Amino acid sequence: MNNLESILTENRVFPPNPAFAAKARIGSRAAYDALVAEANSDYEGFWARLAREFVTWDTPFSTVLDESNAPHYRWFTEGKLNASVNCIDRHLPTKASKIAIIAEADDGSVREITYQQLHDQVVALANGLKSLGITQGDRVVIYMPMIPEASIAMLACARIGAIHSVVFGGFSAEALRDRINDTGARLVITADGGMRGGRMVPLKAAVDKAIENGCPNIEQVVVFERLGNATLMAERDITWSALTAGQPTTCPPVMVDAEHPLFLLYTSGSTGKPKGVQHATGGFLVNAAMTNAWVFDLNDDDVYWCTADVGWITGHSYVTYGPMALGVTQVMFEGIPSYPDGGRFWQMIERHKVSVFYTAPTAIRALMKLGDEVPAKSDLSSLRLLGTVGEPINPEAWMWYHRVIGGERCPIADTWWQTETGAHMIAPLPGAIATKPGSCTLPLPGIMAAIVNDEGELIGPNQGGNLVITRPWPSMIRTIWGDDARFQRSYFPEKLKGYYLAGDSARRDNEGYFWIMGRIDDVLNVSGHRLGTMEIESALVAHPLVAEAAVVGKPHEIKGESIVAFVVCKGDRPEGVAAEAMVKTLRDWVAEQIGPIAKPDEIRFGDNLPKTRSGKIMRRLLRGIAKGELPEGDVSTLENPAILEQLLGK
Ligand code: WT7
């Protein structure tokens, strides 16, 4: 790769809030530097210390890191543990009556579940699963609404050493069938339905359809009665209540090896066929708990809310495993941010006195579009820290989050990581690291991140290149289920000296801060200049009338590629003369903000952009549309397929 050119400059800096830092777990830059130095001088000792601090081992590990079979790294071998014990049992002596989950349903009704109740329900289900013959190593697919029973199902699997694979409840019957078959699962745990935005999500019907279309290994389906409506119960179906009724009130946890797979999770697939990312029990838990404590600075009295669904990695690391390993109280929400109105998130923060709030840039941009009056109606004074994940957050959205939601007092943790990394990799420790809007800042202590060219050579400040991790870390992907060759090829390509290749382009600034520039596959090449998508999109979103933007390249005879921008405006979609005027305004705006090289050749307006179900813009599809083609290939993971035709102008 010729180095990527960086064309955007962002100079605002927000030092840690002194009041926050005074109470933070890691409360100064010096404390951060000391941790980095510790990891640099004794890498294994550093991780061993954290593994003992954050995880309870049934049998202590003796080897910290085994690199003999790279890139199949093994962590904490000979150690044995159980993830459900770490998330529940070990808290019971001191926190049995502490609320683990405040669950708000789509209709606003609230249930509270203590750690003792969580224990009892996990144990009952685990015993139920055992009675169905599920044992260690079996795969179980979980297809549930965003309700506590989703986490309970995950923890029940973990308790008996079964490997769960959660499939997001918004996926279709076909996507579900493919994932079920790829895992070879014997059992599906689902619900009769879920509720999102006032509408019923027919989960059980989708499971039935998936099985009808061919899931030869499935022997049994467990159905949680979320709605209590009469679902057709086939021979293979059993209700959750029937399965758990009368089960013993204890269930001895299966102590598994640290490397035993905890779960498989299929990536959102904004490019190509989904991959079953395999995570190991010990290393995953260490990183999930440690980053939850450090990056979100969680304490015993926090009310924490991560809005991600358990169907994504964020819901694994930062809903089920991380917060519960720390024994915190968290909010879980079944519904969507726009129902019954766009103030739902802010009303819930007020209602439950949320102190730490973690969401995605796509949600922030959508809510920002509704105007400042909406959050102004709610009391957000309980908040003390905000987080984002999933995509680069444009400086404009960052500033809005900071000003309007955080009241200029809350640090923002922009957390860069991936399904494959299992936990935060690059993110500010909020009491220690000054933040810059749009930068995920510095690697966490113990994470060796770098920017290299295609030969794996380090490149200098402010040059874009490949983001890599140069040393293994505990929660890293172990393999792709059933396709180890793809694992090695995708993440450890030969020319990269054994570094982990993230697939993102990024640059570091003069202070070593990381700025993610986009996916490598999305890089544009305009007249010999290689540009990331992020910077042009940020400039567009910085215009007061723009809510969202996505930029792609289109083949061009002279320039190589021309720049096509897809833009969603605040308010109505401009048409006719208004659209023409807006195109001119935005082209001039980008030229002024970052220079003529980045000026879009073409701008199209839509009511929305094509996104994966997890909210990521699918630039792969937009590249086709820019050329005037309806995209070929898999669009089944698309949230809003109708938008393609609109953007195509049909
Ligand atoms: C990709 C991973 C990590 C949990 C949710 C998504 C992008 C993620 C950031 C961020 C810039 C980000 C990257 C990454 N991404 N967080 N803070 N800043 N980009 O998990 O579906 O595995 O996606 O999301 O491109 O590679 P995922």
Side-chain angles (χ1 to χ4, degrees):
M1 178 199 270
N2 294 324
N3 297 349
L4 275 181
E5 287 177 42
S6 175
I7 46 185
L8 189 75
T9 36
E10 168 59 60
N11 295 318
R12 291 169 285 200
V13 180
F14 296 83
N17 171 341
F20 185 99
K23 294 192 205 144
R25 283 180 183 250
I26 297 157
S28 67
R29 177 63 195 245
Y32 166 83
D33 290 340
L35 287 165
V36 170
E38 180 192 346
N40 285 342
S41 67
D42 179 10
Y43 195 65
E44 294 189 15
F46 171 85
W47 283 114
R49 175 171 77 75
L50 293 172
R52 292 188 189 106
E53 182 180 330
F54 284 101
V55 166
T56 302
W57 299 86
D58 187 61
T59 306
F61 52 87
S62 42
T63 309
V64 180
L65 169 60
D66 173 359
E67 304 192 65
S68 60
N69 192 24
H72 297 98
Y73 300 99
R74 296 162 58 79
W75 283 87
F76 311 122
T77 47
E78 298 90 40
K80 284 182 182 281
L81 76 164
N82 181 282
S84 81
V85 168
N86 274 276
C87 292
I88 308 171
D89 303 52
R90 65 170 174 163
H91 305 315
L92 295 182
T94 53
K95 296 184 181 175
S97 58
K98 178 169 179 169
I99 292 165
I101 303 173
I102 303 168
E104 183 162 318
D106 191 58
D107 67 2
S109 57
V110 175
R111 273 193 294 165
E112 294 183 341
I113 297 174
T114 65
Y115 274 96
Q116 182 66 53
Q117 290 166 334
L118 189 64
H119 169 270
D120 297 349
Q121 295 187 34
V122 167
V123 158
L125 183 63
N127 283 324
L129 297 179
K130 277 194 340 197
S131 73
L132 297 178
I134 300 298
T135 58
Q136 181 170 357
D138 283 342
R139 275 83 61 204
V140 172
V141 165
I142 297 174
Y143 185 64
M144 293 281 279
M146 187 52 192
I147 57 177
E149 285 71 17
S151 290
I152 290 169
M154 294 162 82
L155 292 165
C157 290
R159 193 159 193 96
I160 60 174
I163 303 166
H164 60 70
S165 185
V166 183
V167 176
F168 173 55
F171 278 138
S172 65
E174 293 84 278
L176 174 63
R177 183 202 53 200
D178 292 347
R179 286 160 176 75
I180 289 173
N181 289 336
D182 197 70
T183 63
R186 300 170 55 192
L187 180 87
V188 179
I189 304 177
T190 187
D192 49 8
M195 293 300 296
R196 276 168 70 84
R199 283 184 306 153
M200 205 271 267
V201 185
L203 295 167
K204 175 58 166 49
V207 173
D208 288 344
K209 192 167 166 209
I211 294 177
E212 218 168 274
N213 293 342
C215 295
N217 294 322
I218 293 297
E219 296 162 11
Q220 210 105 39
V221 176
V222 177
V223 186
F224 178 72
E225 302 100 314
R226 158 70 182 87
L227 303 176
N229 60 8
T231 27
L232 279 182
M233 299 296 287
E235 187 95 37
R236 59 168 189 268
D237 299 341
I238 179 165
T239 62
W240 179 296
S241 56
L243 181 64
T244 53
Q247 293 291 350
T249 53
T250 58
C251 175
V254 174
M255 295 300 169
V256 298
D257 289 333
E259 282 296 317
H260 185 268
L262 179 59
F263 63 85
L264 309 176
L265 183 63
Y266 289 81
T267 51
S268 51
S270 58
T271 51
K273 179 181 180 282
K275 307 177 249 196
V277 172
Q278 179 180 323
H279 278 288
T281 307
F284 174 80
L285 213 55
V286 169
N287 269 89
M290 172 273 228
T291 52
N292 239 291
W294 285 7
V295 176
F296 296 144
D297 193 50
L298 288 181
N299 293 303
D300 231 20
D301 52 358
D302 274 311
V303 178
Y304 165 80
W305 182 18
C306 165
T307 66
D309 192 279
V310 287
W312 314 122
I313 189 68
T314 312
H316 287 59
S317 311
Y318 301 108
V319 176
T320 299
Y321 290 107
M324 295 193 197
L326 297 181
V328 305
T329 296
Q330 71 175 311
V331 172
M332 212 184 249
F333 176 41
E334 182 185 33
I336 56 174
S338 55
Y339 180 83
D341 60 61
R344 183 69 181 265
F345 275 5
W346 323 128
Q347 293 148 19
M348 284 183 62
I349 288 171
E350 171 174 341
R351 185 152 51 245
H352 304 300
K353 301 204 167 36
V354 172
S355 56
V356 175
F357 179 68
Y358 190 33
T359 196
T362 178
I364 297 169
R365 286 191 298 262
L367 296 171
M368 177 169 86
K369 193 177 163 187
L370 305 179
D372 297 6
E373 320 79 73
V374 181
K377 290 189 198 132
S378 298
D379 176 3
L380 303 179
S381 62
S382 57
L383 289 172
R384 63 183 199 92
L385 187 147
L386 302 172
T388 85
V389 61
E391 279 179 296
I393 179 164
N394 339 78
E396 225 35 49
W398 195 103
M399 287 304 297
W400 184 83
Y401 202 29
H402 168 71
R403 185 172 53 81
V404 178
I405 306 307
E408 300 185 346
R409 109 197 136 260
C410 301
I412 294 183
D414 175 356
T415 60
W416 179 85
W417 59 296
Q418 307 177 295
T419 303
E420 296 88 340
T421 71
H424 300 157
M425 304 296 281
I426 310 179
L429 296 180
I433 304 296
T435 52
K436 306 182 186 184
S439 168
C440 50
T441 75
L442 299 173
L444 294 177
I447 300 301
M448 309 302 182
I451 310 290
V452 300
N453 64 17
D454 283 349
E455 278 66 56
E457 296 153 352
L458 284 178
I459 56 181
N462 294 316
Q463 308 222 26
N466 296 297
L467 174 56
V468 296
I469 313 293
T470 62
R471 295 221 58 190
W473 66 99
S475 63
M476 68 194 300
I477 176 176
R478 294 308 196 261
T479 187
I480 292 174
W481 184 257
D483 198 348
D484 191 63
R486 189 172 177 199
F487 162 73
Q488 302 206 35
R489 191 170 68 233
S490 311
Y491 303 110
F492 295 94
E494 239 157 70
K495 56 188 179 174
L496 280 191
K497 305 182 173 171
Y499 298 162
Y500 169 84
L501 178 67
D504 283 353
S505 54
R507 71 176 168 100
R508 301 188 81 166
D509 67 18
N510 293 327
E511 292 174 312
Y513 277 53
F514 284 77
W515 298 77
I516 306 294
M517 298 169 78
R519 295 291 297 169
I520 289 170
D521 296 340
D522 294 334
V523 164
L524 317 176
N525 193 334
V526 183
S527 309
H529 300 275
R530 293 173 52 84
L531 309 173
T533 50
M534 159 67 181
E535 299 184 317
I536 306 171
E537 290 165 5
S538 277
L540 285 164
V541 176
H543 190 279
L545 294 176
V546 173
E548 276 207 290
V551 162
V552 299
K554 167 178 165 180
H556 186 280
E557 278 182 18
I558 297 156
K559 298 202 260 188
E561 278 185 313
S562 61
I563 301 176
V564 182
F566 295 85
V567 169
V568 180
C569 290
K570 292 181 186 156
D572 290 339
R573 175 165 60 98
E575 287 178 283
V577 206
E580 279 168 35
M582 188 71 181
V583 166
K584 178 164 180 359
T585 307
L586 291 179
R587 281 171 44 89
D588 292 348
W589 169 264
V590 173
E592 187 188 305
Q593 296 278 307
I594 50 185
I597 177 73
K599 204 163 150 174
D601 298 275
E602 213 179 301
I603 298 182
R604 299 197 198 179
F605 300 100
D607 294 323
N608 209 331
L609 297 170
K611 290 185 186 160
T612 65
R613 308 251 168 188
S614 61
K616 277 197 214 311
I617 296 167
M618 292 179 88
R619 293 183 190 75
R620 172 173 65 91
L621 301 186
L622 290 175
R623 277 197 290 274
I625 290 180
K627 287 190 278 182
E629 300 160 1
L630 257 190
E632 293 165 28
D634 186 17
V635 293
S636 69
T637 57
L638 192 60
E639 169 81 41
N640 46 357
I643 204 68
L644 297 177
E645 310 242 331
Q646 183 187 75
L647 293 171
L648 202 55
K650 294 250 161 96

